[in-house]
């Protein structure tokens, strides 16, 4: 929702449907930022999760049938919707303090690499982003709740 186009229906009879869905800010914990098996294997070679989201039995099958579900991968991968008008976001992860793109991770599904790659794209777009993970905390925000409290007070 943080990066999705506004889904408001200005001409709707329903006053709630007319409200903007754009967020003022967002904070996430351990977010999966992509569902693309090709991208995920480049970022995290031991990644094997997510085939079930497409009704497939294994990650190998997802890799083999990637083209047939690419429309859905793009629709449901947050990184695909990141644009320069995205709201400020705090990305908070646990995991290994030594996390790096291309490395093996104990929990690749929620690896800080997911946040690193999204933060990289957002920074390139000029979006205000905070990335915090084990061993690399942001001194201003010890957790996502602190981030939201600070941002929503502005």
């Amino acid at each position: 929702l943080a990066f999705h186009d506004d889904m408001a229906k200005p001409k709707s009879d329903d006053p709630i449907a007319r409200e903007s869905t754009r967020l003022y800010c967002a904070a996430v914990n351990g977010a999966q930022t992509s569902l693309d098996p090709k991208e995920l294997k480049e970022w995290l070679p031991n990644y094997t999760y997510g085939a079930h989201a497409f009704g497939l039995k294994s990650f190998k099958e997802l890799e083999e049938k990637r083209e047939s579900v690419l429309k859905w991968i793009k629709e449901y991968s947050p990184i695909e919707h990141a644009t320069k008008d995205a709201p400020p976001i705090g990305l908070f992860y646990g995991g290994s303090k030594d996390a790096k793109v291309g490395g093996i991770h104990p929990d690749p599904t929620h690896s800080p690499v997911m946040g690193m790659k999204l933060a990289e794209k957002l920074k390139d777009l000029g979006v205000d982003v905070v990335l915090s993970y084990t061993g690399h905390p942001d001194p201003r925000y010890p957790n996502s709740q602190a981030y939201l409290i600070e941002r929503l007070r502005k």
Side-chain angles (χ1 to χ4, degrees):
L1 188 58
F3 305 139
H4 205 282
D5 290 338
D6 195 344
M7 295 180 283
K9 297 176 181 158
K11 296 180 180 176
S12 174
D13 292 335
D14 182 346
I16 302 300
R18 291 192 302 261
E19 292 292 325
S20 174
T21 60
R22 294 294 294 175
L23 301 182
Y24 177 74
C25 68
V28 296
N29 295 315
Q32 294 172 314
T33 60
S34 176
L35 297 174
D36 186 341
K38 182 176 183 236
E39 191 168 58
L40 291 166
K41 279 296 190 178
E42 291 170 8
W43 299 354
L44 301 152
N46 63 322
Y47 198 92
T48 61
Y49 182 77
H52 66 284
F54 304 101
L56 303 172
K57 294 180 193 305
S58 69
F59 195 79
K60 182 175 178 1
E61 186 181 8
L62 176 57
E63 289 176 293
E64 292 166 355
K65 295 185 175 179
R66 177 182 179 268
E67 291 302 317
S68 69
V69 294
L70 194 55
K71 173 186 172 190
W72 300 111
I73 288 169
K74 292 190 178 294
E75 176 66 24
Y76 296 111
S77 294
I79 199 164
E80 295 290 334
H81 297 280
T83 59
K84 65 181 180 175
D85 65 339
I89 188 165
L91 305 170
F92 296 85
Y93 290 83
S96 171
K97 67 180 173 55
D98 300 320
K100 66 179 183 185
V101 176
I104 301 299
H105 297 265
D107 180 12
T109 306
H110 301 286
S111 171
V113 169
M114 295 277 201
M116 290 174 190
K117 295 305 285 184
L118 180 56
E120 178 183 295
K121 182 170 184 176
L122 292 170
K123 285 178 183 176
D124 287 348
L125 292 167
V127 175
D128 182 3
V129 59
V130 167
L131 173 62
S132 177
Y133 61 98
T134 303
H136 302 272
D138 185 289
R140 300 165 295 170
Y141 310 107
N143 54 45
S144 58
Q145 293 87 353
Y147 176 86
L148 287 172
I149 290 168
E150 169 72 20
R151 289 294 176 153
L152 294 172
R153 284 186 174 164
K154 289 183 178 184

